[in-house]
């Protein structure tokens, strides 16, 4: 009896806090293990990618997860519940995500800090996904915007260099080059080069003297587009905490330039990221903010269409099908009214018929209308210029294959996924990698039955993931 007592006292005590949050999420240990693996994959944490049900059971029983596991657990549960779950709340200790973004911080100081931290940010051992902060998604007030616009107008030069129209045009040319590279090759290509250019050459130009007030405003807007693009490339490569930092700086630069449409464009990207990370309520708030006031009224029809279709996606993810359908109609109407003579920014050059069909398909898929989603994905594949927009073309094919598999058309799905893998050659993107991870999960039961097409496709998928590992 004494031996039995000593043995029981040595057993780990149940982690009641973690068990309670898992119960609130209404997840089995197997479902949580899958979610943990997905977050770990995004973060580049190979050790946790294949975490199993037994790991979760041991953690609930009282064993202590090591390394980044507590933060990954907290992030997985946050996505499920749509609120911030900290490691302390689940009875563990580990790195804590930031709880707020400092919107009041000086824009150029924040940009310089990003430049100094760029090397550390790029270390693959750093857990990027778990650093994404849901609590930081609150949009600043109109009073903040007015203050930032005045701050921009009152900035004085900190160097003797004079920036003129030629300098501005050179920076715009670099922005166009990086934008096209992202569209073709994915966010994993050249993002560090863009971050270095933004935080050194462009930051220096922002601190210099400017030949006119218009040049200053246009320069800050262009810098905001570069910061947005750096954030978008990080988002596409599943570097979510890094993306959030750059998106925030992009909004600040847009505010100092008094450029509401650019701010709306960035807030739309933040909403897209929130949808993908499983935070629909915050996504809806961001999408609404992107369409608020002058962000929408001063935007070109093409840009308004983009804002509306992401709004539709957020509403669908939040379960509001009726509102999502109305937003889709507004997006279609806005894109239909766009003309070649419109004075529209270069940042929306990618958004056309194929992109609208892709986002519409995602909205319909999330609403459960798989037949209509399949039709829209196919329309997107048919109408996209794949040589120019290779990354998104690959993602669309991956999504189409997944919907076909859900409908039981596994032969069609295998054919579509095979095309997706063909297109992914030379693409470095976290979103393409995730479609391949999802592909392998969907193929698993068919591979177990010894179906040759599924087995061969799985081998190709495995080779792609090995070659695309960050």
């Amino acid at each position: 009896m004494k031996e039995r007592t000593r043995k029981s006292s040595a057993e780990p005590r149940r982690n009641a806090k973690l068990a309670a949050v898992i119960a609130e999420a209404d997840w089995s240990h197997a479902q949580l293990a899958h979610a943990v693996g997905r977050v770990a994959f995004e973060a580049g944490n190979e050790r946790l990618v294949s975490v199993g049900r037994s790991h979760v059971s041991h953690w609930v029983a009282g064993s202590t997860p090591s390394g980044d596991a507590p933060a990954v657990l907290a992030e997985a549960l946050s996505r499920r519940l749509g609120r911030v779950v900290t490691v302390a709340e689940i009875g563990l200790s580990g790195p804590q995500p930031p709880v707020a973004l400092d919107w009041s911080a000086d824009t150029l100081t924040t940009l310089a800090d990003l430049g100094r931290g760029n090397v550390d940010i790029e270390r693959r051992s750093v857990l990027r996904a778990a650093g994404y902060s849901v609590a930081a998604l609150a949009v600043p007030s109109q009073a903040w915007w007015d203050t930032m616009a005045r701050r921009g107008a009152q900035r004085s030069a900190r160097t003797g260099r004079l920036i003129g129209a030629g300098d501005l045009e050179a920076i715009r040319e670099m922005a166009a080059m990086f934008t096209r590279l992202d569209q073709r090759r994915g966010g994993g290509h050249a993002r560090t080069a863009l971050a270095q250019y933004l935080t050194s050459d462009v930051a220096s130009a922002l601190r210099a003297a400017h030949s006119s007030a218009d040049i200053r405003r246009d320069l800050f807007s262009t810098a905001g587009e570069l910061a947005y693009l750096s954030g978008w490339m990080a988002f596409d490569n599943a570097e979510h905490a890094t993306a959030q930092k750059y998106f925030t700086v992009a909004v600040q630069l847009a505010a100092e330039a008094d450029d509401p449409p650019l701010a709306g464009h960035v807030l739309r990207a933040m909403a897209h990221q929130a949808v993908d990370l499983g935070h629909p309520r915050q996504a809806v708030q961001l999408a609404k903010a992107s369409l608020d006031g002058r962000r929408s009224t001063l935007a070109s029809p093409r840009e308004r269409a983009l804002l509306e279709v992401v709004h539709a996606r957020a509403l669908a993810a939040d379960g509001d099908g009726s509102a999502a359908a109305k937003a889709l109609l507004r997006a279609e109407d806005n894109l239909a009214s766009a003309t070649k003579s419109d004075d529209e920014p270069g940042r929306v050059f990618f958004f056309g018929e194929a992109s609208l069909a892709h986002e519409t398909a995602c909205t319909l898929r999330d609403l459960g209308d798989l037949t209509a989603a399949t039709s829209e994905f196919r329309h997107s594949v048919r109408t996209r210029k794949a040589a120019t927009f290779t990354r998104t073309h690959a993602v669309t094919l991956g999504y189409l294959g997944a919907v076909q598999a859900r409908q039981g058309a596994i032969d069609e799905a295998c054919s579509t996924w095979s095309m997706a893998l063909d297109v992914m050659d030379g693409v470095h993107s976290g979103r393409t990698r995730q479609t391949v991870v999802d592909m392998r999960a969907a193929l698993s039961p068919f591979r177990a039955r010894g179906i040759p097409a599924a087995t061969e496709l799985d081998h190709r998928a495995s080779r792609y993931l090995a070659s695309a590992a960050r």
Side-chain angles (χ1 to χ4, degrees):
M1 181 65 71
K2 289 182 179 179
E3 288 182 5
R4 185 175 300 173
T5 302
R6 283 196 298 269
K7 182 178 179 181
S8 63
S9 65
E11 291 175 351
R13 292 162 57 185
R14 179 175 171 79
N15 186 336
K17 290 183 177 180
L18 177 57
V21 179
I22 293 174
E24 181 186 354
D26 193 25
W27 259 347
S28 68
H29 290 179
Q31 289 171 316
L32 179 57
H34 176 76
V36 166
R38 180 160 186 163
V39 173
F41 176 80
E42 292 175 0
N45 189 326
E46 297 299 329
R47 187 181 63 83
L48 284 175
V49 167
S50 59
V51 66
R53 178 186 331 195
S54 61
H55 285 77
V56 177
S57 298
H58 288 314
W59 294 337
V60 174
S63 64
T64 304
S66 60
D68 296 322
V72 173
L73 267 169
E75 173 64 13
L77 289 163
S78 294
R79 296 183 186 186
R80 173 69 170 178
L81 295 171
R83 63 175 179 81
V84 178
V85 174
T86 67
V87 292
E89 183 182 349
I90 56 177
L92 300 171
S93 61
Q96 293 274 7
V99 296
L101 295 174
D102 188 0
W103 290 102
S104 63
D106 179 74
T107 308
L108 301 188
T109 300
T110 303
L111 191 59
D113 287 343
L114 282 175
R116 283 190 290 270
N118 191 54
V119 174
D120 289 336
I121 289 170
E122 290 307 310
R123 290 176 185 163
R124 296 309 186 232
S125 61
V126 174
L127 182 66
R128 291 178 289 265
Y132 177 85
S133 174
V134 183
L137 297 180
V139 179
S141 66
Q142 182 60 43
W144 173 88
W145 180 273
D146 296 338
T147 298
M148 293 295 286
R150 287 194 299 271
R151 181 186 296 180
Q154 294 167 1
R155 279 195 182 276
S156 58
R158 300 186 187 182
T159 70
R161 181 184 173 197
L162 180 66
I163 300 297
D167 299 295
L168 175 61
E169 185 59 29
I171 294 172
R172 283 173 168 169
E173 289 173 3
M174 291 294 287
M177 181 195 73
F178 278 115
T179 296
R180 281 163 174 75
L181 184 62
D182 166 64
Q183 289 289 340
R184 187 175 183 190
R185 297 300 184 186
H189 277 288
R191 198 194 69 73
T192 52
L194 170 57
Q196 180 65 28
Y197 177 65
L198 171 65
T199 58
S200 57
D201 296 50
V202 178
S204 175
L206 292 172
R207 285 183 159 81
H210 307 118
S211 59
S212 69
D214 285 344
I215 291 293
R216 180 200 65 79
R217 282 194 299 270
D218 289 347
L219 179 63
F220 270 74
S221 285
T222 304
E225 291 201 19
L226 284 166
Y228 151 75
L229 181 58
S230 189
W232 181 262
M233 292 173 78
F235 159 56
D236 180 64
N237 204 39
E239 302 173 59
H240 293 295
T242 302
Q244 191 174 40
K245 294 182 179 72
Y246 278 98
F247 285 151
T248 305
V249 172
V251 173
Q252 290 178 294
L253 287 164
E256 290 211 31
D258 196 16
D259 188 345
L262 174 58
H265 192 84
V266 182
L267 291 169
R268 176 274 318 172
M270 295 174 74
H272 191 152
Q273 183 185 29
V275 168
D276 277 16
L277 293 182
H279 302 301
R281 281 173 249 167
Q282 289 81 4
V284 170
Q285 292 168 1
L286 287 163
K288 285 181 178 177
S290 76
L291 287 157
D292 186 46
R294 294 193 303 155
R295 295 173 194 144
S296 175
T297 59
L298 296 182
S300 68
R302 188 178 308 276
E303 191 151 48
R304 279 199 302 275
L306 174 58
L307 303 184
E308 286 287 7
V309 80
V310 173
H311 186 203
R313 282 201 62 185
L315 289 165
D318 200 36
D320 193 342
S322 176
K326 293 175 183 177
L328 284 178
L329 290 174
R330 290 193 296 270
E332 291 173 6
D333 290 343
N334 275 298
L335 188 60
S337 67
T339 67
K340 292 182 179 179
S341 62
D342 289 338
D343 182 17
E344 61 185 29
R347 61 181 175 262
V348 296
F349 86 102
F350 71 93
F351 191 76
E353 183 181 359
S355 294
L356 178 62
H358 171 98
E359 299 297 346
T360 298
C362 290
T363 303
L364 294 168
R365 176 201 61 195
D366 293 346
L367 290 172
D369 190 345
L370 299 186
T371 300
T374 299
S375 176
E376 289 292 335
F377 277 134
R378 284 177 172 157
H379 182 63
S380 180
V381 169
R382 286 194 306 270
T383 55
R384 180 173 286 111
K385 297 177 181 177
T388 302
F389 306 108
T390 312
R391 183 263 318 282
T392 308
H393 189 60
V395 173
T396 304
L397 286 166
Y399 289 172
L400 173 58
V403 171
Q404 289 169 333
R406 286 174 61 183
Q407 292 174 299
I410 193 62
D411 289 337
E412 281 188 276
C414 285
S415 177
T416 301
W417 280 329
S418 181
M419 287 189 289
L421 287 169
D422 290 340
V423 173
M424 287 178 195
D425 183 31
V427 173
H428 192 167
S429 162
R431 286 190 289 168
T432 61
R433 290 194 300 272
Q434 188 59 55
T435 65
V436 177
V437 170
D438 293 342
M439 174 199 311
R440 295 194 73 197
L443 286 171
S444 179
F446 301 96
R447 188 174 65 248
R449 297 178 201 168
I451 298 176
T455 301
E456 172 57 27
L457 189 60
D458 184 71
H459 286 161
R460 288 189 63 196
S462 178
R463 289 194 298 270
Y464 170 78
L465 291 175
S467 66
R470 287 179 286 155

